[in-house]
Amino acid sequence: MKDAEVLSKVRIFLREEGIIIPKGPIKEFYSQLIKLSGFGIGGLLVFSGKKAGKMAGAYIKNIAGEINPTIEKVVPYVCAFLEETGICKVEEYNVSNSHILFRVRNSIFAQGVESKKPVCMPLSGAMAGVFEEVTGKEWDCREIECQAQGKERCVFEIRLKY
């Protein structure tokens, strides 16, 4: 999963195009946003995440050096982006042609939040957006477990829409 060349390319990209922001203020901001707004804002968070994911998908295609990389080639880049930016730690993933399952820990969106429902809506949208940009097809991502619910990890199920 942690191909040295993939990590190197992502790290170079992040040094050139990224900024460093402490996690604490981001976690606090998101935690308060969820507490104060309820889940009526969920659609906006997914939409915004999807836009960001499409941008990341374009970056990944550029970094990978391919116009149409395979999903199998893209997933390690997605993992490297998530981990190197501190968004979450990918523990495991499974890939098929129309289905991808990510198991992650320490999502920045779930930290400091207690909820009965999954709260990592921006991350769900971003994952769908990455694969939409890379494949040119429509994808849906659903968080089926969340650490904010007291679960051991966050689990995201990404499916190709037919």
Side-chain angles (χ1 to χ4, degrees), residues 19-26 85 108:
I19 60 170
I20 297 173
I21 300 172
K23 288 182 187 179
I26 294 170
T85 57
I108 194 165

Side-chain angles (χ1 to χ4, degrees), residues 4-110:
E5 184 179 353
V6 168
L7 282 175
S8 176
K9 287 180 178 181
V10 169
R11 285 179 178 149
I12 290 167
F13 171 80
L14 291 173
R15 271 195 300 273
E16 292 172 356
E17 299 292 328
I19 60 170
I20 297 173
I21 300 172
K23 288 182 187 179
I26 294 170
K27 291 187 283 188
E28 181 62 23
F29 171 80
Y30 191 75
S31 171
Q32 293 303 315
L33 179 69
I34 293 297
K35 287 176 187 173
L36 295 173
S37 67
F39 284 88
I41 197 165
L44 179 61
L45 294 171
V46 171
F47 177 78
S48 298
K50 189 174 273 196
K51 290 284 193 182
K54 286 185 178 198
M55 290 176 67
Y59 295 146
I60 288 171
K61 287 191 325 190
N62 186 42
I63 292 170
E66 295 183 31
I67 294 171
N68 295 311
T70 64
I71 291 174
E72 289 79 8
K73 185 162 185 173
V74 169
V75 169
Y77 282 97
V78 172
C79 293
F81 263 85
L82 293 173
E83 292 183 16
E84 291 298 310
T85 57
I87 292 171
C88 63
K89 167 80 173 113
V90 178
E91 283 191 335
E92 177 186 6
Y93 62 83
N94 302 91
V95 180
S96 73
N97 288 339
S98 61
H99 181 258
I100 308 161
L101 194 69
F102 278 94
R103 289 180 177 84
V104 308
R105 278 192 191 268
N106 302 325
S107 163
I108 194 165
F109 302 108

